[in-house]
Amino acid sequence: MRFLAGCILHGNSNMAIHCSRTCLQYLIHLAHDNVDFRLPEIRSLLSLRGKSFDPCENFKEKSPFWRLNGLSEEDVNSIMARTVCAKSAFELWGHGRTHSELRTSLLKYPTENMSPFLQKDSTYKINVYTFNKTLEFEDRIKKIDAMEYLSFEGRVNLKNPKHIFCLLEDYGTDPNNIPDEPLYIYFGRWIADGQRELIRSHSVKNRHFIGNTSMDAGLSFIMANHARVKAHDLVYDPFVGTGSLLVACSHFGAYVCGTDIDYNTIHGIGKASRKNQKWRGPDENIRANLRQYGSEKLYVDVLVSDASKPIWRDGMLFDAIITDPPYGIRESTRRTGSQKDSVKPPEDYVGDSHVPVSMAYHLSDIFTDLLNFSAHHLVIGGRLVYWLPIYRPEYCEEMVPLNACLRLVSNCEQTLSSHTSRRLITMEKIKEPEETDALAHLSDPHFSPYQGHNAFREKYFSGISKRTLTGKEETNKMAANGGE
């Protein structure tokens, strides 16, 4: 490695050893799902450590392997203790396009970096991992035996080794065009695994309280990581639903609270969403979900409230606001109010308080209110993370709602169908609101609300109707041709 060689040549031996340990490269092996969310998650987790994302040359975002510079082992362990997008991390000892190049690279790796892990009194094992290709057991053994040029002096222990090493081969990302030989090969010392197990352990299938739109566990943890949620933060979800996002944030030690306009959901009453269950049980609520995962002590409260109406005092500040607003597909978009002219009651009226009826809450208004609320109620540096539904044929980046107090951090797409998707938007508060901010959109078109959202529901069902009609046309055509 040239950068290590440079460190050794320009100083005494002590400086060389210190520099070689601080100039290490680390290899991150990423899961090949939610690909668009991986880079923002790793960047966000690095920023919690005050570190920047510094990839090696020829970095490819879609690759399942990333080589990173400028990190310590503590930094890597910190990332892996939270990420659900990465599988494992390694101290990279060598790499190359062929096994010959790998050998050359490994033999150039500083001995002082290897020797602490190759001692006679240590135990080890070597794993072989291949991406996009399955190898027979005998082929794996041959690849391990071919690495006899490395001076391992310890004993092999397959069950409980002190050190684990891994040979990783990348066969590309096209399952229909798998090469005979790997495109790239890596070898390194295993450091830590990511938190992919959280996706299974927190699956909504096994959760005590769920609804029709409960957020997937993996995406919930990704949102919490994009928001940089940490211990003792106060996190708020203005469209809390069944509290899936609160569950993820409380896992990282944050205090959580939320509001929702749906009385039945907040109180856990009414019809159940589970198959073969008609009504919700007596203890199906958000608090019970946090109790299920051992984080009930971090539950602040949830309220029945209209997100379009101010209920918080001016000094109330949150460290993060994370939410999945309703799109009008499976959950309606409503707010309190009436289209009719309001009638003021007599001054001497002493009857019961009126419970207002609900009216349509346009998506463009939802996002304008959400950004304005975040601008006023986030701490400086706090983050807003939310889902934005879009109609793909008409989408462009200028459609993302903006606010003068919020900086756009990332914009990731999750495809829902051929014509619709939703984008995970992450924004960070950079300044306090000023009176002139409310008029900013008049002079800058970038601040105009995304009015196209108001037709999202119609376009969504229009696309479904088109697909249904196309399917019927194909069926009729096949029938006319004798089913060929």
Side-chain angles (χ1 to χ4, degrees):
M1 294 183 174
R2 292 192 298 274
F3 63 94
L4 289 175
C7 292
I8 295 172
L9 289 172
H10 293 88
N12 58 36
S13 59
N14 290 333
M15 286 184 62
I17 293 173
H18 173 73
C19 193
S20 65
R21 290 305 302 171
T22 56
C23 295
L24 298 175
Q25 270 194 352
Y26 291 93
L27 181 71
I28 307 295
H29 172 212
L30 298 119
H32 209 60
D33 55 12
N34 295 317
V35 174
D36 213 24
F37 302 86
R38 302 184 311 189
L39 181 56
E41 188 203 47
I42 300 300
R43 283 185 184 274
S44 297
L45 295 179
L46 282 172
S47 68
L48 282 175
R49 300 275 301 176
K51 294 297 181 75
S52 59
F53 183 78
D54 182 16
C56 69
E57 67 282 0
N58 302 321
F59 169 71
K60 296 179 181 178
E61 183 180 343
K62 305 301 181 184
S63 169
F65 300 102
W66 293 352
R67 288 156 48 202
L68 302 183
N69 302 315
L71 302 179
S72 66
E73 189 164 326
E74 291 74 19
D75 295 329
V76 176
N77 275 309
S78 176
I79 294 170
M80 302 311 290
R82 293 192 49 148
T83 177
V84 293
C85 288
K87 288 187 173 182
S88 304
F90 306 86
E91 177 188 325
L92 188 61
W93 284 15
H95 57 91
R97 292 181 179 84
T98 64
H99 281 276
S100 177
E101 287 186 11
L102 174 66
R103 174 176 177 148
T104 301
S105 178
L106 283 169
L107 293 177
K108 287 182 179 180
Y109 194 67
T111 305
E112 61 270 16
N113 286 354
M114 288 186 177
S115 57
F117 311 104
L118 306 179
Q119 302 298 325
K120 289 183 178 180
D121 59 348
S122 68
T123 57
Y124 73 96
K125 74 172 180 178
I126 300 176
N127 292 330
V128 177
Y129 174 82
T130 55
F131 181 80
N132 198 31
K133 188 171 185 175
T134 301
L135 293 182
E136 297 292 338
F137 178 76
E138 293 77 10
D139 294 327
R140 294 173 183 269
I141 296 300
K142 289 178 181 177
K143 290 179 182 291
I144 294 174
D145 291 341
M147 303 193 71
E148 59 184 1
Y149 53 85
L150 290 177
S151 54
F152 289 102
E153 297 182 4
R155 293 178 294 105
V156 173
N157 185 331
L158 300 180
K159 291 186 177 180
N160 188 29
K162 187 175 182 181
H163 306 298
I164 300 174
F165 303 91
C166 196
L167 176 70
L168 304 105
E169 297 185 336
D170 183 2
Y171 286 85
T173 57
D174 185 358
N176 298 315
N177 186 25
I178 303 175
D180 294 331
E181 297 297 326
L183 303 178
Y184 215 86
I185 312 165
Y186 308 89
F187 184 86
R189 177 178 65 90
W190 174 83
I191 294 176
D193 288 331
Q195 302 303 306
R196 301 281 296 171
E197 172 61 19
L198 290 175
I199 299 173
R200 186 202 61 79
S201 64
H202 286 67
S203 171
V204 294
K205 294 179 181 179
N206 305 316
R207 192 165 298 170
H208 189 69
F209 175 49
I210 63 170
N212 293 332
T213 58
S214 294
M215 181 64 64
D216 168 80
L219 292 175
S220 298
F221 283 108
I222 287 173
M223 292 177 73
N225 282 333
H226 281 211
R228 302 190 301 191
V229 171
K230 58 187 182 300
H232 310 300
D233 279 354
L234 179 60
V235 179
Y236 172 60
D237 182 352
F239 303 95
V240 70
T242 57
S244 293
L245 299 179
L246 303 192
V247 169
C249 293
S250 65
H251 175 80
F252 295 125
Y255 292 94
V256 294
C257 58
T259 58
D260 202 285
I261 197 171
D262 191 325
Y263 179 94
N264 286 349
T265 300
I266 287 292
H267 290 277
I269 59 177
K271 290 185 177 181
S273 298
R274 296 185 188 279
K275 187 178 180 180
N276 301 324
Q277 181 182 340
K278 189 172 182 180
W279 303 102
R280 288 186 172 127
D283 192 35
E284 287 192 42
N285 52 56
I286 295 173
R287 185 169 197 152
N289 279 348
L290 271 70
R291 186 184 308 126
Q292 178 181 353
Y293 299 108
S295 55
E296 184 181 5
K297 64 181 180 180
L298 299 170
Y299 175 82
V300 177
D301 209 348
V302 291
L303 309 171
V304 179
S305 175
D306 181 352
S308 69
K309 302 292 191 292
I311 64 169
W312 303 99
R313 58 183 173 84
D314 292 340
M316 186 65 191
L317 296 177
F318 301 101
D319 297 288
I321 297 173
I322 306 178
T323 194
D324 179 26
Y327 316 145
I329 307 301
R330 287 186 291 175
E331 297 288 344
S332 62
T333 54
R334 297 179 295 136
R335 62 178 174 181
T336 55
S338 174
Q339 301 288 1
K340 300 178 181 179
D341 295 334
S342 59
V343 179
K344 186 177 180 180
E347 292 184 2
D348 59 349
Y349 178 72
V350 292
D352 293 337
S353 299
H354 171 62
V355 178
V357 298
S358 63
M359 60 184 292
Y361 192 10
H362 294 303
L363 282 169
S364 59
D365 295 331
I366 289 177
F367 295 116
T368 298
D369 291 346
L370 178 61
L371 267 62
N372 286 337
F373 178 87
S374 301
H376 284 84
H377 292 282
L378 275 174
V379 299
I380 295 293
R383 288 191 170 185
L384 164 67
V385 180
Y386 70 96
W387 288 101
L388 179 74
I390 60 104
Y391 183 62
R392 299 183 75 195
E394 298 176 0
Y395 171 76
C396 62
E397 290 189 2
E398 287 71 22
M399 291 179 174
V400 178
L402 297 180
N403 184 286
C405 299
L406 305 172
R407 174 179 68 90
L408 181 63
V409 175
S410 62
N411 176 355
C412 313
E413 183 181 28
Q414 182 193 29
T415 302
L416 302 177
S417 70
S418 60
H419 62 286
T420 60
S421 68
R422 59 180 181 177
R423 305 191 75 91
L424 185 61
I425 308 298
T426 301
M427 309 185 85
E428 184 174 319
K429 183 173 177 178
I430 55 176
K431 73 181 189 74
E432 294 295 344
E434 302 173 6
E435 290 185 9
T436 55
D437 293 338
L439 303 175
H441 66 279
L442 297 178
S443 58
D444 187 347
H446 226 35
F447 289 98
S448 62
Y450 177 25
Q451 298 294 337
H453 274 303
N454 298 339
F456 175 77
R457 187 176 187 275
E458 289 73 17
K459 292 173 180 176
Y460 175 87
F461 285 113
S462 172
I464 291 177
S465 299
K466 288 178 182 177
R467 292 205 309 276
T468 303
L469 288 173
T470 301
K472 288 181 178 178
E473 290 171 359
E474 290 294 328
T475 302
N476 293 336
K477 188 181 294 184
M478 290 178 65
N481 293 328
E484 294 179 0

